[in-house]
Amino acid sequence: MTTMKTSLAPARVPGREAIAAKGWLSAHKWLLLRRASQLGLLLLFALGPWLGVWIVKGTLTSSLTLDTLPLTDPFFLLQSLAAGHLPYREALIGAVIVIAFYLVVGGRIYCAWICPMNIVTDTAAWLRRRLNLQGGRAPSPTTRYWLLGAILLASFASGTLAWEWINPVSLLHRGLLFGFGAAWAIILGVFLYDLLIATKGWCGHLCPMGATYSLLNFSGVPKVSALRREACDDCLDCYAVCPEPQVIRPALKGEGSPIIASNNCTHCGRCIDVCAQDVFQMTTRFHHRRDGHEQGTDHTAARFGGGGVRPVH
Amino acid sequence: MQLAAAGGAALAGLGLGVHAKQASALPAYAVRPPGALHEPEFLGACVRCGLCVRDCPYNTLKLSAFGDGVAPGTPFFVPRTVACEMCPDIPCVKACPTGALDHALEDINSARMGLAVLIDHETCLNFNGLRCDVCYRVCPLIDKAITLDMQRNQRTGKHAMFLPVVHSDACTGCGKCEHACVLETAAIKVLPRAQAKGELGHHYRLGWEEKARAGHSLLPDKVLELPVRRPGDGS
């Protein structure tokens, strides 16, 4: 049975040591960059309806940039295909461009750098740490893949884009650009779920969009690496802030490559921010250790739990 | 743990599928943009991007918000509030990247967004013998989609009534008539065509059409010889 309690002992605030060691700005560098990316993108979409400056038109599900570049979210395309509709070439080309982009930068970059729900769930996680809320229960991180499958089946059976009746990601993004209606209730529901019931429950365990993007997250070039893992003093701050804490351990405590290879790393870089010892760095998948020791070819095994998959080099 | 994950996901999928099935009918007050596929196909084709709404020059189209009664994120308009202006270049259809709005629609007069129905004869001013005619006058396809049918006013016995009649072969469902109806609540309403139209049994043949097609009566000269019976002749 799970119980909700707030501990009386003062909570350790992840990142406080990093602020003391590096200064506030350095200890929030990646967080600020991500917020700039998320809000900047939102602003690009909003410039049209707010100021009549039409750079990007549409929403994250499908958009047209400068009246020429079509972009379509692969998760929406999947649902539509499952529902039995083959879209026009514009949407297909848009999806190919998006897929190609995420194959280069890494699929779950979307979750940390673009998705507007990230701000909501980050806030819930932050508040949960600040209030020192414990207990609750998170479902298995694989639930999202089952959910993705169930959604595609439901789309097939109902002939509609099944997830779009409740998808908080598109409801939030569309709500900001076209009006919320009662969508705020769904967003609030996710916030409360993450705050009170499941730590990092939505983005880390349930979201089928994140699941789709994690399937595209095997060849991205930017990679977070525990380059100076020997300096780790086991303060656990990185685990506390990571939306997918299970991805850190193989790189930080393992014998192999220090590159975080899991396809669920969102490349948010928050572990880099909060580490007072500067263990982590944003590198590329081709990065070799400074001491000249060959690295970077064995992390594929860690990603897929070992064996049989050739590195994408 | 895996079992719970799979089970939970299956339940969620089931719930969503069932909800999608029972919520997939368009409410009677809402109309889809020109060229929209039939509602069941539309809901599988529209990716909820809003590009058609952005390209509607008259801000007629709205993107449904959660709780609007229309599938969230899909485009619609409410004719009583604002009607389709029937742009000849149909920018909303051109904007659609998926084909939920069919690019095959090139002539806006061929659009079939819905069908106007003069649903309440009791309050329609023309049915009460007045010459309101507003729905008829605002119709972009005046005298094709809506005509005035002159009939004798049985109540006064000496006046005419001009009854608006909608013709489904020409009505685009733009909603101008419903928008302009002067009543507190419109007597003429644009309904989804599936709700407005009846359907004849497929085995029915209309004799006069068959006759026109063949160029002559399809009956032999003498089909039946019926006896002539008059009252009182005792037979």
Short mmCIF file of all heavy atoms in Angstrom, two decimals, chain B residues 10 18 21 27-29 31 34 48 56 73 79 119 127 129 134 141 147 162 177 180 196 214 219 222:
data_model
loop_
_atom_site.label_atom_id
_atom_site.label_comp_id
_atom_site.label_asym_id
_atom_site.label_seq_id
_atom_site.Cartn_x
_atom_site.Cartn_y
_atom_site.Cartn_z
N ALA B 10 -4.22 -1.78 -22.20
CA ALA B 10 -5.33 -2.37 -22.95
C ALA B 10 -6.65 -1.75 -22.52
O ALA B 10 -7.49 -1.42 -23.36
CB ALA B 10 -5.36 -3.88 -22.73
N VAL B 18 -13.97 2.76 -27.43
CA VAL B 18 -15.41 2.81 -27.22
C VAL B 18 -15.90 4.27 -27.21
O VAL B 18 -16.90 4.61 -27.84
CB VAL B 18 -15.78 2.11 -25.89
CG1 VAL B 18 -17.23 2.38 -25.54
CG2 VAL B 18 -15.53 0.62 -26.00
N LYS B 21 -15.97 5.62 -30.67
CA LYS B 21 -17.11 5.11 -31.43
C LYS B 21 -18.40 5.88 -31.10
O LYS B 21 -19.14 6.30 -31.98
CB LYS B 21 -17.34 3.63 -31.08
CG LYS B 21 -16.63 2.68 -32.04
CD LYS B 21 -17.33 2.64 -33.40
CE LYS B 21 -16.57 1.72 -34.36
NZ LYS B 21 -16.67 2.15 -35.73
N PRO B 27 -22.44 16.92 -33.75
CA PRO B 27 -23.68 17.48 -33.25
C PRO B 27 -24.41 18.26 -34.34
O PRO B 27 -23.79 18.76 -35.27
CB PRO B 27 -23.24 18.41 -32.12
CG PRO B 27 -21.79 18.61 -32.31
CD PRO B 27 -21.26 17.44 -33.05
N ALA B 28 -25.73 18.36 -34.22
CA ALA B 28 -26.54 18.89 -35.32
C ALA B 28 -26.25 20.37 -35.60
O ALA B 28 -26.49 20.84 -36.70
CB ALA B 28 -28.02 18.70 -35.00
N TYR B 29 -25.71 21.11 -34.62
CA TYR B 29 -25.47 22.54 -34.86
C TYR B 29 -24.15 22.81 -35.55
O TYR B 29 -23.87 23.93 -35.96
CB TYR B 29 -25.52 23.31 -33.52
CG TYR B 29 -24.53 22.78 -32.50
CD1 TYR B 29 -23.20 23.19 -32.52
CD2 TYR B 29 -24.94 21.89 -31.52
CE1 TYR B 29 -22.30 22.70 -31.60
CE2 TYR B 29 -24.04 21.40 -30.59
CZ TYR B 29 -22.72 21.81 -30.63
OH TYR B 29 -21.83 21.31 -29.73
N VAL B 31 -21.11 22.17 -38.47
CA VAL B 31 -20.94 21.81 -39.86
C VAL B 31 -19.45 21.75 -40.17
O VAL B 31 -18.67 22.57 -39.66
CB VAL B 31 -21.64 22.84 -40.78
CG1 VAL B 31 -21.39 22.52 -42.24
CG2 VAL B 31 -23.12 22.89 -40.49
N PRO B 34 -15.86 22.85 -46.27
CA PRO B 34 -16.12 22.28 -47.60
C PRO B 34 -15.16 21.12 -47.88
O PRO B 34 -14.01 21.15 -47.44
CB PRO B 34 -15.84 23.44 -48.56
CG PRO B 34 -15.70 24.66 -47.74
CD PRO B 34 -15.51 24.27 -46.32
N ARG B 48 -5.78 17.21 -36.90
CA ARG B 48 -6.02 18.25 -35.89
C ARG B 48 -4.93 19.32 -35.92
O ARG B 48 -4.47 19.76 -34.88
CB ARG B 48 -6.08 17.64 -34.50
CG ARG B 48 -7.34 16.87 -34.13
CD ARG B 48 -7.44 15.53 -34.77
NE ARG B 48 -8.47 14.70 -34.13
CZ ARG B 48 -9.09 13.70 -34.72
NH1 ARG B 48 -8.83 13.39 -35.98
NH2 ARG B 48 -9.98 12.99 -34.09
N CYS B 56 -8.70 30.24 -43.36
CA CYS B 56 -10.07 30.73 -43.61
C CYS B 56 -10.06 32.25 -43.49
O CYS B 56 -9.84 32.79 -42.41
CB CYS B 56 -11.04 30.12 -42.60
SG CYS B 56 -12.71 30.81 -42.72
N GLY B 73 -9.94 19.41 -31.55
CA GLY B 73 -8.91 19.73 -32.53
C GLY B 73 -9.37 19.67 -33.97
O GLY B 73 -8.59 19.93 -34.88
N PRO B 79 -23.31 27.46 -38.26
CA PRO B 79 -23.92 28.38 -39.23
C PRO B 79 -24.75 29.48 -38.58
O PRO B 79 -24.77 30.61 -39.08
CB PRO B 79 -24.80 27.47 -40.07
CG PRO B 79 -24.26 26.10 -39.89
CD PRO B 79 -23.65 26.06 -38.53
N ILE B 119 -37.15 23.59 -41.12
CA ILE B 119 -37.56 22.53 -40.23
C ILE B 119 -38.84 22.89 -39.46
O ILE B 119 -39.60 22.03 -39.07
CB ILE B 119 -36.38 22.19 -39.29
CG1 ILE B 119 -36.41 20.73 -38.85
CG2 ILE B 119 -36.31 23.12 -38.11
CD1 ILE B 119 -35.07 20.26 -38.34
N PHE B 127 -44.44 30.99 -44.10
CA PHE B 127 -45.53 30.03 -43.90
C PHE B 127 -46.72 30.69 -43.22
O PHE B 127 -47.83 30.18 -43.25
CB PHE B 127 -45.05 28.82 -43.08
CG PHE B 127 -44.56 27.69 -43.93
CD1 PHE B 127 -43.27 27.69 -44.43
CD2 PHE B 127 -45.40 26.63 -44.26
CE1 PHE B 127 -42.82 26.66 -45.22
CE2 PHE B 127 -44.95 25.59 -45.06
CZ PHE B 127 -43.65 25.60 -45.55
N GLY B 129 -47.69 33.59 -44.10
CA GLY B 129 -48.27 34.47 -45.09
C GLY B 129 -47.51 35.77 -45.29
O GLY B 129 -47.91 36.61 -46.09
N VAL B 134 -36.05 36.17 -46.40
CA VAL B 134 -34.63 36.47 -46.15
C VAL B 134 -33.72 35.30 -46.51
O VAL B 134 -32.68 35.45 -47.15
CB VAL B 134 -34.42 36.90 -44.68
CG1 VAL B 134 -32.95 36.85 -44.29
CG2 VAL B 134 -34.95 38.31 -44.47
N LEU B 141 -26.91 30.58 -53.97
CA LEU B 141 -27.42 29.90 -55.16
C LEU B 141 -28.92 30.12 -55.24
O LEU B 141 -29.71 29.18 -55.42
CB LEU B 141 -27.07 28.41 -55.08
CG LEU B 141 -25.57 28.12 -55.15
CD1 LEU B 141 -25.26 26.68 -54.80
CD2 LEU B 141 -25.01 28.46 -56.53
N THR B 147 -35.86 27.94 -53.64
CA THR B 147 -36.84 28.60 -54.51
C THR B 147 -38.04 28.98 -53.65
O THR B 147 -38.18 28.50 -52.52
CB THR B 147 -37.30 27.67 -55.64
OG1 THR B 147 -37.83 26.47 -55.05
CG2 THR B 147 -36.16 27.31 -56.57
N PHE B 162 -45.62 32.37 -50.17
CA PHE B 162 -44.42 32.02 -50.93
C PHE B 162 -43.53 31.17 -50.03
O PHE B 162 -42.86 31.70 -49.14
CB PHE B 162 -43.70 33.28 -51.41
CG PHE B 162 -44.49 34.02 -52.45
CD1 PHE B 162 -45.50 34.91 -52.09
CD2 PHE B 162 -44.25 33.78 -53.80
CE1 PHE B 162 -46.24 35.57 -53.06
CE2 PHE B 162 -44.99 34.43 -54.77
CZ PHE B 162 -46.00 35.33 -54.40
N CYS B 177 -28.52 30.89 -44.94
CA CYS B 177 -29.95 30.99 -44.66
C CYS B 177 -30.22 30.90 -43.15
O CYS B 177 -30.95 31.71 -42.59
CB CYS B 177 -30.72 29.92 -45.41
SG CYS B 177 -30.07 28.25 -45.18
N ALA B 180 -29.06 33.97 -41.39
CA ALA B 180 -29.83 35.19 -41.64
C ALA B 180 -31.27 35.10 -41.15
O ALA B 180 -31.96 36.12 -41.07
CB ALA B 180 -29.83 35.51 -43.14
N ALA B 196 -30.17 14.88 -42.61
CA ALA B 196 -31.24 15.60 -43.31
C ALA B 196 -31.90 14.76 -44.40
O ALA B 196 -33.09 14.92 -44.66
CB ALA B 196 -30.67 16.88 -43.92
N ALA B 214 -36.57 5.42 -71.26
CA ALA B 214 -36.84 4.51 -72.39
C ALA B 214 -37.43 5.25 -73.59
O ALA B 214 -37.37 4.77 -74.72
CB ALA B 214 -37.77 3.40 -71.93
N LEU B 219 -45.04 -0.18 -70.19
CA LEU B 219 -46.15 -1.11 -70.05
C LEU B 219 -46.69 -1.46 -71.43
O LEU B 219 -46.73 -0.60 -72.32
CB LEU B 219 -47.27 -0.48 -69.22
CG LEU B 219 -46.91 -0.14 -67.78
CD1 LEU B 219 -48.09 0.54 -67.10
CD2 LEU B 219 -46.49 -1.38 -67.03
N LYS B 222 -52.21 -3.02 -73.25
CA LYS B 222 -53.28 -3.44 -72.36
C LYS B 222 -52.72 -4.40 -71.33
O LYS B 222 -52.48 -5.58 -71.63
CB LYS B 222 -54.40 -4.10 -73.17
CG LYS B 222 -55.11 -3.09 -74.07
CD LYS B 222 -56.41 -3.62 -74.57
CE LYS B 222 -57.18 -2.49 -75.29
NZ LYS B 222 -58.39 -2.97 -75.93
#
